[in-house]
Amino acid sequence: MTYFMKSYKEYMKNLTLSQVPEYFMKKKEEGDAKKGSYFFVTQNLDDVYGEIANLDISWDETNPIRYHVGKESSILMNNVIESGTGFSEKKIVKVNGHDAYYLIGARKEARKSRVYMTACVLANFCCPQTKRKFVVKINAHKENFPGMEEHFLGIVMGIVCH
């Protein structure tokens, strides 16, 4: 199935999200060029699970000299592993010329006596030019993940940070 891609350009935040599929709706936006976040959601799967997928893109000021993408990736992974997520794939991709770690995992979630499998995507990178670090967190219902996986990678690689 083919979807149109939307672009969200924020001059005041010095940020463009160039590959967001049309099935994501922006629910929340906060911050400025130094620190902020976007939160997108899809339609609800059911009343218990909620959205089929959600997308959280955040950025914060950092010292690019001290930033190590591998170390930050490990810290992010450890925070998510505490919630029962196991990671099965880890790769380095280029985001606007910057090295980014792209991790794929899954976890079981129990909600109101139902058990769901949720796919998780984490990505992080640093932009030395704007002195910001970016973190992308995506959660999707496991059965819907294969059809969305290519879009998730496109979202991450479509971040234009300067």
Side-chain angles (χ1 to χ4, degrees), residues 32-77:
D32 56 17
K34 295 180 180 179
K35 181 179 181 170
S37 68
Y38 282 113
F39 189 71
F40 294 85
V41 296
T42 61
Q43 68 184 8
N44 284 344
L45 178 67
D46 61 37
D47 292 336
V48 178
Y49 186 78
E51 299 96 12
I52 293 172
N54 61 53
L55 163 65
D56 183 19
I57 300 172
S58 60
W59 59 95
D60 198 359
E61 281 188 304
T62 192
N63 182 350
I65 294 170
R66 295 197 177 272
Y67 185 91
H68 187 274
V69 72
K71 181 180 177 184
E72 283 289 321
S73 176
S74 295
I75 292 169
L76 284 171
M77 265 185 9

